[in-house]
Amino acid sequence: MTYCLALHVNKGIVFASDSRTNAGVDYVATHSKMHTFLFKENRCIYILTAGSLATSQAVINRISSDLETDNTGFNLLKANYLHEIADYIGELSQAQQSKHEAAMKKSNMSAECSFIVGGQLKGQACAIFHVYPQGNYIKASPETPYLQIGENKYGKPILDRVISPSTSLEDAARCALVSLDSTIRSNISVGPPIELAIHTSNDLSGPYQSTFTHNSPMYKSLQKQWNEGLKRAFKRLPRFDWEKPSD
Amino acid sequence: MTYCLALHVNKGIVFASDSRTNAGVDYVATHSKMHTFLFKENRCIYILTAGSLATSQAVINRISSDLETDNTGFNLLKANYLHEIADYIGELSQAQQSKHEAAMKKSNMSAECSFIVGGQLKGQACAIFHVYPQGNYIKASPETPYLQIGENKYGKPILDRVISPSTSLEDAARCALVSLDSTIRSNISVGPPIELAIHTSNDLSGPYQSTFTHNSPMYKSLQKQWNEGLKRAFKRLPRFDWEKPSD
């Protein structure tokens, strides 16, 4: 599986993704699921992928080639609005799935793929979209300022507790790392390295980007601090009537 | 949906369950999913249920009537081992599902049901079993001392961090409450009241049992302490390079 998420706060957007892929438990590999298309001072577009790796790679390849080929069709640079890009990704995904549908069905497999796409076009607001396997999409809102694809349940409680539009970009990034770390601990189909991109609203010079492995000092320290903090919080929970207060 | 769990530690077993049921989002109700069969000084048996309420109620009704009717078949008092009870529940569940299978299929619905069953027979060790909808079952082990049925993912990370065989019964109970509370916050198909039973190993006089609503002082206090503890833990996470240490 996969776990990717994007958090849209007032100050910008945080994107984060794991890197584990598997075709059955006996073929586990590492692939990046974060794709950035940066056109400095004009537009910054970030795409996260979950589901069939073949479909998602085909969609990303097509997005890249549409930018390079001198054609009359749509591409990332021709988009007037971010939602046009969500729509474009939905169409590419559907086309790719249709192409292989019959063969996949024969093998009882799925070519379905989900995407989170977001970022900012010059002069417009930041936004993030969840593009469903069916090609339609929704946008995050102040009421629910985050989107998740893949194994989303393990890491959702901490988002529900911490994330609101007023959360700082750095806290949102730490929360994304905690959400990913909780998922990685509880589900072996999600694994490091973790990729992180922090896009500051109205800064089209490019994001802060970093990749965290189990050996990265920041990630190790965050894991340790969070584990210790949780244990401390757990120790302070109320006692049952029959327990001594100091138990 | 539902979320039920059982934690088997050295000192005994903790059982916990939510009480929300739904037949679609427009028919949400409250039903207990914890069933206790206590034969003092002889055997304490606890059953948690998830899935089709009709199937689980039919199984529980049959378990009760098998105890009352003077028949030659199996019942909870005739079991020599706990695994025989797991097997019995699996058979009752399969029989009930088969009875309604054709009609359920016509309506594109499922009569499937999962159970956690456990407790202690006099002179034997405590044990907990997960009975699958197919009627087969597994037992928890020291390596994985807990079992979950229903919406199990939201509340799994805290179990993975806290629970081991050496955890005290009270800490296991608190952890079960936190696991349920995280699930309730993130998924509206899981809701209070929360039922809790703590069975102390080799004490066949009956468990500590309690029901927690949103207004129960212990549950309110636990929610508040946990939320504050998590926020404190979150605030202590490491800073990014560019942040001032006091941010």
Side-chain angles (χ1 to χ4, degrees), chain A residues 151 153-154 156-157 160-161 170-171 174 185-186 208 221 227 230 232 234 238-239 242-243, chain B residues 151 153-154 156-157 160-161 170-171 174 185-186 208 221 227 230 232 234 236 238-239 242-243:
Chain A
E151 275 293 353
K153 293 186 179 182
Y154 304 100
K156 185 169 183 284
D160 289 332
R161 287 183 198 270
E170 289 81 4
D171 275 345
R174 274 184 281 272
R185 275 171 171 263
S186 285
Y208 163 82
S221 160
N227 209 37
L230 281 189
R232 242 186 331 259
F234 192 79
R239 310 283 106 179
W242 65 86
E243 291 178 281
Chain B
E151 275 293 353
K153 293 185 179 181
Y154 305 100
K156 186 170 183 286
D160 289 332
R161 286 183 199 272
E170 290 81 5
D171 276 346
R174 274 184 282 271
R185 275 171 171 265
S186 285
Y208 162 84
S221 161
N227 208 39
L230 280 189
R232 245 189 326 265
F234 192 79
R236 293 173 77 152
R239 311 283 105 180
W242 64 86
E243 291 179 280

Side-chain angles (χ1 to χ4, degrees), chain A residues 96-109 111:
Chain A
Q96 193 59 30
Q97 290 177 56
S98 299
K99 184 177 171 186
H100 298 288
E101 195 181 353
M104 293 297 277
K105 224 173 200 169
K106 264 192 207 164
S107 306
N108 207 17
M109 291 168 78

Side-chain angles (χ1 to χ4, degrees), chain B residues 138-151:
Chain B
I138 59 163
K139 192 171 97 167
S141 61
E143 295 74 27
T144 306
Y146 64 84
L147 297 172
Q148 305 170 287
I149 53 176
E151 275 293 353

Side-chain angles (χ1 to χ4, degrees), chain A residues 54-234:
Chain A
T55 302
S56 68
Q57 287 194 351
V59 168
I60 299 297
N61 289 341
R62 176 66 189 273
I63 290 171
S64 302
S65 63
D66 278 352
L67 279 166
E68 285 167 15
T69 321
D70 183 26
N71 65 20
T72 55
F74 186 87
N75 70 29
L76 292 185
L77 278 167
K78 291 183 185 169
N80 293 313
Y81 302 99
L82 273 169
H83 70 77
E84 292 176 6
I85 295 174
D87 205 59
Y88 167 61
I89 289 173
E91 285 172 9
L92 295 181
S93 169
Q94 273 287 299
Q96 193 59 30
Q97 290 177 56
S98 299
K99 184 177 171 186
H100 298 288
E101 195 181 353
M104 293 297 277
K105 224 173 200 169
K106 264 192 207 164
S107 306
N108 207 17
M109 291 168 78
S110 167
E112 287 196 346
C113 197
S114 300
F115 298 85
I116 291 173
V117 56
Q120 190 165 28
L121 309 190
K122 194 178 180 183
Q124 296 184 22
C126 292
I128 51 175
F129 297 85
H130 179 162
V131 183
Y132 296 111
Q134 292 74 24
N136 54 352
Y137 51 90
I138 59 162
K139 192 171 100 166
S141 61
E143 294 74 27
T144 306
Y146 63 84
L147 297 172
Q148 305 171 285
I149 53 176
E151 275 293 353
N152 61 315
K153 293 186 179 182
Y154 304 100
K156 185 169 183 284
I158 188 65
L159 303 180
D160 289 332
R161 287 183 198 270
V162 170
I163 298 298
S164 77
S166 62
T167 306
S168 74
L169 274 173
E170 289 81 4
D171 275 345
R174 274 184 281 272
C175 190
L177 291 175
V178 168
S179 180
L180 267 153
D181 182 50
S182 299
T183 309
I184 287 168
R185 275 171 171 263
S186 285
N187 189 314
I188 57 153
S189 76
V190 176
I194 293 174
E195 291 186 88
L196 180 73
I198 304 179
H199 174 89
T200 305
S201 183
N202 298 326
D203 175 2
L204 295 175
S205 66
Y208 163 82
Q209 278 188 287
S210 190
T211 300
F212 301 94
T213 68
H214 271 316
N215 293 321
S216 302
M218 168 74 176
Y219 185 43
K220 272 168 82 167
S221 160
L222 179 131
Q223 283 185 306
K224 185 167 172 281
Q225 290 290 335
W226 184 243
N227 209 37
E228 287 172 3
L230 281 189
K231 296 221 160 129
R232 242 186 331 259
F234 192 79

Side-chain angles (χ1 to χ4, degrees), chain B residues 42-241:
Chain B
N42 178 290
R43 56 192 60 198
C44 294
I45 295 154
Y46 308 83
I47 303 175
L48 309 176
T49 64
S52 163
L53 188 62
T55 302
S56 67
Q57 287 193 352
V59 169
I60 298 298
N61 289 341
R62 176 65 189 274
I63 290 171
S64 302
S65 64
D66 278 352
L67 279 166
E68 286 166 16
T69 321
D70 182 30
N71 65 21
T72 54
F74 186 87
N75 69 30
L76 293 185
L77 278 168
K78 291 183 185 169
N80 293 313
Y81 303 99
L82 274 170
H83 69 77
E84 291 176 7
I85 296 176
D87 205 58
Y88 167 59
I89 291 174
E91 284 173 9
L92 295 181
S93 168
Q94 273 286 300
Q96 195 57 32
Q97 289 177 54
S98 299
K99 183 178 172 187
H100 299 288
E101 194 180 356
M104 293 297 277
K105 224 173 201 169
K106 266 192 204 164
S107 306
N108 207 18
M109 290 168 80
S110 167
E112 287 196 347
C113 198
S114 299
F115 299 84
I116 290 172
V117 57
Q120 190 165 28
L121 308 190
K122 194 177 179 181
Q124 297 183 22
C126 293
I128 51 175
F129 297 85
H130 179 162
V131 183
Y132 297 111
Q134 293 73 25
N136 53 352
Y137 52 89
I138 59 163
K139 192 171 97 167
S141 61
E143 295 74 27
T144 306
Y146 64 84
L147 297 172
Q148 305 170 287
I149 53 176
E151 275 293 353
N152 62 315
K153 293 185 179 181
Y154 305 100
K156 186 170 183 286
I158 188 66
L159 303 180
D160 289 332
R161 286 183 199 272
V162 169
I163 299 298
S164 77
S166 63
T167 306
S168 75
L169 273 173
E170 290 81 5
D171 276 346
R174 274 184 282 271
C175 191
L177 291 175
V178 167
S179 180
L180 267 153
D181 182 50
S182 299
T183 308
I184 286 169
R185 275 171 171 265
S186 285
N187 189 312
I188 57 154
S189 77
V190 177
I194 294 174
E195 291 186 87
L196 180 73
I198 304 180
H199 175 89
T200 305
S201 183
N202 298 326
D203 175 2
L204 296 174
S205 66
Y208 162 84
Q209 279 189 286
S210 191
T211 301
F212 301 95
T213 68
H214 271 318
N215 293 321
S216 303
M218 168 74 177
Y219 184 43
K220 272 169 82 170
S221 161
L222 179 131
Q223 283 183 307
K224 185 168 172 281
Q225 291 290 337
W226 184 243
N227 208 39
E228 286 172 5
L230 280 189
K231 295 217 162 132
R232 245 189 326 265
F234 192 79
K235 274 198 184 137
R236 293 173 77 152
L237 291 180
R239 311 283 105 180
F240 289 99
D241 298 342

